[in-house]
Amino acid sequence: MGIVAGLDSSPDFTRIVVCDTDTGAVLRQGYAPHPVDTPDGGARPSDVDPQAWLLSLGEAAGGGLLEGVQAIGVSAQQNALIPLDAQGNTVRPAVVGGDKRSQVAAADLIDALGGREAWAQAVGCVPQAAQPVTKLRWLAKSEPENARRTAVLLQAHDWLVWQLLGRPVRRTTDRGGASGTGYWSAATGGYRPDLVELALGHQAMLPDVIGPSEAAGTTPEGLLISAGTGETMAAAFGLGLGFGDAVVSLGASGSVMAVHTEALADTSGMITSLADATGMHLPVVTTLNAVRALRGTAELLGLSDLEALSDLAMKSTPGSHGLVMLPYLEGERTPNLPHTAGTLAGLRRESMRAEHLARAAFEGMLCGLADALDVLRNRGVEVRRIFLLGGAAELPAVQAAAPMLFGAQVVVPQPADYAAIGAARQAAWALGVSQGTLDPRTPPVWQGAAAQVLEPGDELAVGQAVRQQFVSVREQTHPGAFRS
């Protein structure tokens, strides 16, 4: 019936997919890195001129990629704060990523409102260094003149949508993007302007939050632009997550999120209550240690890569001959043990072999993520199926242990541009609603992600015994760590 495009502006690049509106089949794709200078081997810059995202977008869309496209959806990196002046010009470069400059500001804000519980009740999350509300506090303290000039607050996908529409008077965002700001509540569906003032020192204009299937507008050329959303929400939409589905993401740190019917206020601060791109909710629990525990173990054992660590671990057996690793190498957020260190327990002569240590690293990482899953399960979140994402999800040792330790079916999707696909699916939804062919409450049904499906099967009891072994060591080492 037609074609739509999904645009994902990540921290490093722009990726565009052009999809069939009916099936979601990817017909064409484009890619371009952001023209941002990063020193060789250096960290990604914390300040970025957003014009770099537009240049990257233009390059990715070259060669007639968007020819015939009827609607575009935009996904973009979360937590990028773009302060604008009253004329709509950027006051300073965008503050992106988990900027460590904001860590003191996060602590200031927590105290200023009366503690973690006050924030959890107000907006469903406790301020972290990456969040826009914390970056506003940093701006007010570190660059007071720029803070005074700031009149409008946008995030990356808001700004890109606004640019594509020709910078109209009305600026928009969606529930997903708004829910990560620290000044919008997923529970009430409304902004907390008082928190903007608490952080920035004065009020600022905020974009209108439009519904998941609404259009943000139409370009001068007649191209419909959908609401857009953050990368996490777009990827969940692209994967086709529904009620009962959870995602475990394996990066250096880890995250667990699940589709739920309501926003969860969590006074411990372990749950961040985000909204998704469909009208549902996406509670998220993060851990500070996931693949970094594997990399550290590989280095300790003199192994060249994680594949070699996985091969070695497969020579051991479930339970690692009693060896248990608490992988809290960077401290930990779930449970909240910011100043702790990792622990290796169960050392016996027979367990002191390289393969058992390798297996204990995989089991420790996955048990830590199972703890995070339990935080959600204990709040009534149903988890029937778990999508496992990240390069480490392909490792045989992960695939062997994850279903039995998580106690659920594990789905390992084939690598794909799920955030861009989710943005395209949102565009198809908004287009269908505008044409009267789709229900504004029901997104288009697209073909699911190609995936490998792993069942716990007969090993479920073994996995639960391994998990209990981990929990016993954690409780003995950090008693009451999960009591709120």
Side-chain angles (χ1 to χ4, degrees):
M1 293 293 290
I3 57 175
V4 291
L7 182 163
D8 177 37
S9 181
S10 84
D12 297 311
F13 56 80
T14 298
R15 199 177 292 280
I16 302 174
V17 297
V18 175
C19 299
D20 180 273
T21 54
D22 292 337
T23 66
V26 176
L27 307 174
R28 305 190 290 268
Q29 45 195 329
Y31 167 87
H34 293 325
V36 174
D37 290 333
T38 302
D40 290 341
R44 186 185 295 133
S46 299
D47 293 333
V48 175
D49 183 348
Q51 292 295 328
W53 307 333
L54 279 183
L55 292 170
S56 172
L57 190 166
E59 187 178 343
L65 183 76
L66 299 180
E67 189 174 335
V69 164
Q70 297 163 279
I72 294 179
V74 177
S75 155
Q77 62 178 302
Q78 287 156 237
N79 298 321
L81 176 71
I82 301 116
L84 305 179
D85 64 18
Q87 287 72 46
N89 301 312
T90 51
V91 169
R92 67 176 317 284
V95 191
V96 300
D99 194 337
K100 291 188 176 180
R101 295 176 299 185
S102 310
Q103 286 177 340
V104 173
D108 285 349
L109 278 177
I110 292 169
D111 290 343
L113 194 65
R116 300 169 70 87
E117 184 171 352
W119 278 97
Q121 295 294 342
V123 287
C125 61
V126 177
Q128 302 292 323
Q131 286 181 294
V133 71
T134 305
K135 289 168 178 170
L136 287 179
R137 180 73 157 200
W138 171 84
L139 188 67
K141 296 288 186 183
S142 302
E143 300 178 3
E145 182 52 39
N146 285 336
R148 278 192 289 275
R149 289 176 54 215
T150 297
V152 183
L153 301 176
L154 296 180
Q155 293 189 88
H157 87 265
D158 312 336
W159 188 85
L160 284 166
V161 165
W162 185 55
Q163 296 292 329
L164 289 172
L165 292 173
R167 296 165 59 105
V169 172
R170 186 193 190 207
R171 301 173 183 91
T172 62
T173 189
D174 84 308
R175 297 169 65 254
S179 66
T181 59
Y183 43 80
W184 185 87
S185 167
T188 66
Y191 281 116
R192 287 288 302 265
D194 57 314
L195 299 182
V196 173
E197 186 167 359
L198 180 69
L200 184 62
H202 61 86
Q203 292 290 342
M205 284 187 64
L206 302 169
D208 293 345
V209 180
I210 62 176
S213 62
E214 286 186 64
T218 305
T219 69
E221 300 77 28
L223 200 60
L224 184 141
I225 307 293
S226 64
T229 195
E231 270 189 317
T232 297
M233 300 78 190
F237 198 41
L239 281 165
L241 295 193
F243 187 71
D245 288 337
V247 171
V248 173
S249 184
L250 302 177
S253 54
S255 69
V256 174
M257 66 180 178
V259 178
H260 195 48
T261 53
E262 60 181 346
L264 297 176
D266 174 45
T267 56
S268 74
M270 284 190 287
I271 298 174
T272 297
S273 196
L274 299 178
D276 79 348
T278 72
M280 297 276 275
H281 295 270
L282 271 182
V284 179
V285 179
T286 59
T287 69
L288 295 181
N289 301 277
V291 175
R292 65 165 38 99
L294 302 184
R295 294 203 184 283
T297 305
E299 290 170 11
L300 180 65
L301 293 173
L303 301 174
S304 58
D305 53 35
L306 296 185
E307 287 74 14
L309 185 71
S310 174
D311 292 344
L312 185 61
M314 293 298 284
K315 295 176 181 176
S316 181
T317 53
S320 311
H321 275 245
L323 209 56
V324 175
M325 179 184 291
L326 302 184
Y328 307 152
L329 308 185
E330 296 285 322
E332 190 46 82
R333 185 177 169 190
T334 307
N336 186 28
L337 299 166
H339 306 299
T340 195
T343 300
L344 192 61
L347 285 169
R348 298 180 184 275
R349 180 66 189 87
E350 62 270 21
S351 66
M352 295 176 72
R353 296 176 63 89
E355 61 266 31
H356 302 324
L357 178 57
R359 176 95 189 192
F362 282 96
E363 290 178 345
M365 174 188 77
L366 292 169
C367 283
L369 290 161
D371 278 350
L373 269 169
D374 281 351
V375 171
L376 295 179
R377 283 171 164 147
N378 292 339
R379 291 295 305 276
V381 177
E382 188 169 349
V383 178
R384 295 193 299 263
R385 183 171 64 159
I386 296 168
F387 286 75
L388 199 56
L389 303 184
E394 303 287 338
L395 297 172
V398 170
Q399 295 191 5
M404 67 168 105
L405 294 176
F406 292 157
Q409 182 186 84
V410 170
V411 179
V412 184
Q414 288 184 3
D417 304 316
Y418 292 111
I421 291 168
R425 189 179 176 206
Q426 188 192 63
W429 194 7
L431 180 65
V433 169
S434 75
Q435 295 173 338
T437 58
L438 287 177
D439 187 323
R441 296 160 299 180
T442 309
V445 178
W446 278 11
Q447 58 197 19
Q452 185 177 3
V453 179
L454 309 168
E455 301 283 357
D458 296 339
E459 295 196 304
L460 181 59
V462 175
Q464 296 315 294
V466 174
R467 182 81 204 290
Q468 188 53 53
Q469 182 177 266
F470 177 91
V471 170
S472 297
V473 172
R474 172 177 37 77
E475 275 298 302
Q476 188 173 3
T477 312
H478 305 287
F482 274 103
R483 289 183 205 136
S484 56

